[in-house]
Amino acid sequence: ETGVTQSPTHLIKTRGQQVTLRCSSQSGHNTVSWYQQALGQGPQFIFQYYREEENGRGNFPPRFSGLQFPNYSSELNVNALELDDSALYLCASSLDPKNEQFFGPGTRLTVL
Amino acid sequence: GENVGLHLPTLSVQEGDNSIINCAYSNSASDYFIWYKQESGKGPQFIIDIRSNMDKRQGQRVTVLLNKTVKHLSLQIAATQPGDSAVYFCAERGNQGGKLIFGQGTELSVKP
């Protein structure tokens, strides 16, 4: 186990709703990265947070937003859910932005 | 653009044989490459990494080879075991901080 936890493990939402996913980083890690993994695909980078600031963003629309808290835990928020948002959402924590990333088990989001 | 891809989507080997999983990347500016193993229902697990100033790195039963001339990465697993059955992803760190770019993945199946 990596020490990175995510909640909830599974979630079902309907189109147009909003969702918040949570991630607790490994002790001592100040960086959290979020990825979306569609079925049968590799993870796609959403964004990274370093010391509570966004530190890079992938090709995702603004309805994907995030936060990092003083204890370095993080949230991913998705507004106006679409069917294509159905995926496994992974967070990874690291000592700093360029160090090895340790992944959590993911949150499986299903949008109906 | 940035892209990491895999030559073979599935690989089936006999227990005890050696496995080779290949990966092509397109960003010659990438400086760091990682192999991850992902079992069903879990997040990606770090296996081994290599920096762009190296061409080979060995771990326990695993070896990663990097050929920058042809932008090719491979993972060799010695004496493959049933517990090695999983999806394997290569990833590169692009030129945007800690962003990891993943390939599609290769499913390794080990027959006892």
Side-chain angles (χ1 to χ4, degrees):
Chain A
E1 301 301 324
T2 62
V4 179
T5 60
Q6 292 187 243
S7 63
T9 53
H10 296 85
L11 201 52
I12 299 175
K13 292 284 189 178
T14 56
R15 277 187 304 174
Q17 286 189 310
Q18 178 266 341
V19 69
T20 298
L21 310 181
R22 295 178 175 81
C23 172
S24 291
S25 57
Q26 191 178 114
S27 178
H29 288 187
N30 59 26
T31 303
V32 171
S33 305
W34 285 92
Y35 294 83
Q36 180 196 66
Q37 186 177 22
L39 200 60
Q41 302 293 319
Q44 298 291 310
F45 177 77
I46 303 174
F47 42 55
Q48 182 182 79
Y49 279 84
Y50 170 54
R51 294 185 173 181
E52 304 179 60
E53 298 289 329
E54 187 178 288
N55 183 53
R57 187 180 181 93
N59 294 325
F60 281 82
R63 60 189 184 85
F64 285 77
S65 63
L67 279 175
Q68 188 176 32
F69 299 99
N71 66 354
Y72 301 130
S73 66
S74 178
E75 286 183 355
L76 164 65
N77 299 290
V78 187
N79 293 323
L81 283 166
E82 300 177 0
L83 296 179
D84 285 350
D85 295 334
S86 295
L88 180 69
Y89 288 85
L90 295 160
C91 81
S93 77
S94 51
L95 277 171
D96 62 48
K98 290 235 171 184
N99 249 286
E100 179 186 338
Q101 295 185 16
F102 295 85
F103 283 83
T107 293
R108 172 71 62 187
L109 173 65
T110 301
V111 182
L112 303 175
Chain B
E2 299 168 331
N3 183 53
V4 177
L6 295 172
H7 295 307
L8 297 173
T10 60
L11 179 64
S12 183
V13 301
Q14 204 70 37
E15 181 179 359
D17 287 351
N18 296 333
S19 303
I20 300 176
I21 301 172
N22 295 302
C23 175
Y25 66 94
S26 59
N27 186 357
S28 55
S30 292
D31 62 353
Y32 179 58
F33 303 87
I34 315 104
W35 281 100
Y36 285 94
K37 171 186 180 184
Q38 187 173 26
E39 296 173 286
S40 181
K42 296 184 179 180
Q45 176 190 354
F46 173 92
I47 302 172
I48 191 168
D49 59 0
I50 188 167
R51 298 195 180 274
S52 58
N53 60 354
M54 303 170 69
D55 53 22
K56 180 179 181 179
R57 190 157 188 239
Q58 288 185 289
Q60 188 177 14
R61 282 201 307 117
V62 294
T63 301
V64 55
L65 299 177
L66 175 63
N67 185 332
K68 295 181 288 293
T69 302
V70 295
K71 289 186 274 188
H72 184 266
L73 193 67
S74 69
L75 176 69
Q76 301 177 1
I77 304 173
T80 314
Q81 302 167 2
D84 295 327
S85 294
V87 177
Y88 289 80
F89 292 97
C90 64
E92 65 179 304
R93 187 170 64 201
N95 48 16
Q96 292 185 32
K99 171 184 177 180
L100 293 179
I101 303 161
F102 284 81
Q104 183 180 10
T106 292
E107 183 171 6
L108 176 65
S109 175
V110 182
K111 296 176 287 187

